Amino acid sequence: KNKRGGFMASEGFDVLRLIEHNRSCYVSSEFVQGSVLIQWLKYHPNVPKKQLFSWMYEIMRQLALFHRLRGRPCYQYVNPYSVIVSSEEKLYLLDAGAKSSEILIRKMQRKAVRENFLPPKEHIYRKASEALDIYGLGRTWQYILAVTEPDPPLTKREEQKLRKIISRCLNRQSKHAYQKVEEIQKHFPAERMKKTQFQRRSKVLAAAVILILAAAVIKAKVYSGGLAGAGRQNAGVSDASPRGKEEKEETDDSDLLKFDMGMVCLLELEEYAKAAGYLEEISRYGADCYAAIARSLEKDTAAAESRKLEEALIRAEKNIPAGREEVCLKGLIKGYTLLDTEEAGEEIVRLGEIYLRLGGEKGGAKEADKEIMEAVALSYEGMDKKREAASMYEKVLEHEDGNEKREELYMKMTLMWEGTGDREKAWECCRKGIDELQESAKLRLLYIRLQCMDTSVGREVCEETIREYIKSMPKLTGLEEFKKLQREYDIRVEGEEVWVGR
């Protein structure tokens, strides 16, 4: 039983048992009961700091051993799905070559996973290299720190050391980037760590908590235009003193990490008080704007001073830090939804279209894209642009799996098309939903209404539709919506016979 009172299912996994002998390393496969790390952390967010550090070090240690196998192979899939927590709470790397691992490998190859644990320009898990393994290690550490609350909390000294280590894992183009996992082990902060396989402890792995929450979710992408002045404030400023330049870079890093942390709390974790706390410490990047959004959401009220928020949103758009375009656009859209004005709706549409063009892709393959597309569709509705709203809802539908949500989208699309006067398109959309969602009473009732309200449709056609739907779904006649239709259109049902009076 997990600490939240629910149960976490245990599964069987083929894992790698890496054995070190002198400077050589050997591997065998072993079957263990347990769960993937990403699932384990979901149910165990409160982790003793000692255990947290130990696990982070253990992932790095096993990866280093894997790189020492004959032929110097690279692991390729370094992320929280490839780390297995056994029932004894020991960590193992998944045996990616085992037949039983195919389902997990397919999960790792999904876009949402790839974008979070591969560098921005690496779109698929096809190349294996030590540099990519190191990058995946840094992202995995970030994810662990993002979803856990160490007890006791990380110290500022730990945070500072961690920030440097993780930055060197992720900044592959930097001259200070790590080339081998062994290099990270040497710099990994520790208090006289013992050389036992599972007891290497470190009192350092903390600074990531600032770098982390953000990095696990936020990808740096090249902005494809459309926002005025984005990243302008990041232009290089020369400093005659190397020390001064170093201090400036430290300040820049610190502000960006706080910014990332605040935006993740705002957009992903919905921890609005924390988000405002981080963002209010920064005097640039338009952070005060996102802090105001967080404060409004924290109090569950519309923005108190809409004019000020509108001005802040305009200013924030001009001060987007380089590499944060996607997350800032999402934050700006969330801010405009608080204004509830026609002008705000137009801004949501404009920014949403820019967001969906990022990276040259259609958008919609991620949860975030669905959220943005729905915001755009609702804004189109508010602007009485029903055709555009219907088209945007159709894009959301392409990436929605849940039947309940798909039913809602079919209904919205049908009503939007009907509102444009394109009844054929509305009927076609509704019929498509009925064919797909065989248990949907709502869509059947909507289709009956569309036919009955159209005076150009013969009543015998309406009667045949109602007869067919009642036969396939007898419970329709007992629903309040059907009784309402009966009163509106004088519908009578007697056994298998149906009459529509008007």
Side-chain angles (χ1 to χ4, degrees), residues 272-292:
Y272 302 125
K274 285 186 179 180
Y278 285 114
L279 294 165
E280 285 167 354
E281 292 183 26
I282 311 168
S283 60
R284 48 183 172 168
Y285 310 137
D288 61 318
C289 169
Y290 305 111

Side-chain angles (χ1 to χ4, degrees), residues 113 158 242 265 275 324 327 405 479:
V113 177
E158 289 169 338
C265 288
R324 272 74 176 174
V327 73
K405 185 65 177 179
L479 298 177

Side-chain angles (χ1 to χ4, degrees), residues 380-399:
Y380 275 134
E381 278 194 61
M383 297 159 64
D384 204 30
K385 293 186 175 183
K386 294 182 172 63
R387 187 176 298 275
E388 290 84 352
S391 297
M392 191 58 68
Y393 282 131
E394 190 171 0
K395 290 181 180 180
V396 179
L397 186 70
E398 292 174 10
H399 304 284

Side-chain angles (χ1 to χ4, degrees), residues 431-472:
R431 284 196 302 266
K432 184 179 178 182
I434 293 167
D435 290 342
E436 177 189 324
L437 305 170
Q438 296 290 320
E439 301 302 315
S440 174
K442 290 181 180 179
L443 287 169
R444 283 173 170 77
L445 291 168
L446 178 58
Y447 192 77
I448 291 171
R449 176 176 291 281
L450 291 174
Q451 280 198 337
C452 289
M453 68 189 292
D454 190 338
T455 55
S456 68
V457 177
R459 300 301 88 175
E460 68 280 358
V461 174
C462 300
E463 291 165 357
E464 179 58 35
T465 298
I466 296 169
R467 194 178 297 113
E468 176 191 338
Y469 286 172
I470 291 175
K471 185 177 180 180
S472 62

Side-chain angles (χ1 to χ4, degrees), residues 125-154:
Y125 272 117
R126 66 178 177 186
K127 297 179 182 177
S129 71
E130 206 158 349
L132 287 181
D133 280 359
I134 290 171
Y135 184 93
L137 175 65
R139 285 295 198 196
T140 301
W141 279 351
Q142 288 178 331
Y143 179 83
I144 292 171
L145 289 165
V147 299
T148 57
E149 295 183 12
D151 182 23
L154 302 173

Side-chain angles (χ1 to χ4, degrees), residues 164-176:
K164 291 180 180 178
I165 290 176
I166 292 179
S167 293
R168 290 181 65 177
C169 288
L170 303 182
N171 298 331
R172 300 192 302 155
Q173 307 307 318
S174 168
K175 63 181 180 180
H176 300 298

Side-chain angles (χ1 to χ4, degrees), residues 394-411:
E394 190 171 0
K395 290 181 180 180
V396 179
L397 186 70
E398 292 174 10
H399 304 284
E400 182 57 64
D401 297 325
N403 284 349
E404 188 175 341
K405 185 65 177 179
R406 290 183 69 82
E407 178 186 60
E408 179 188 333
L409 289 167
Y410 274 119
M411 292 188 71

Side-chain angles (χ1 to χ4, degrees), residues 28-71:
S28 63
S29 189
E30 182 176 342
F31 189 80
V32 300
Q33 289 292 325
S35 60
V36 293
L37 180 63
I38 197 167
Q39 185 72 5
W40 193 95
L41 292 173
K42 177 181 178 182
Y43 290 99
H44 303 81
N46 303 112
V47 181
K49 181 160 69 170
K50 190 176 182 181
Q51 178 183 349
L52 182 69
F53 286 175
S54 173
W55 277 16
M56 293 175 76
Y57 189 89
E58 179 65 7
I59 297 170
M60 172 177 61
R61 190 189 73 84
Q62 292 207 27
L63 190 59
L65 289 178
F66 189 89
H67 288 171
R68 282 165 49 192
L69 292 171
R70 184 186 297 273

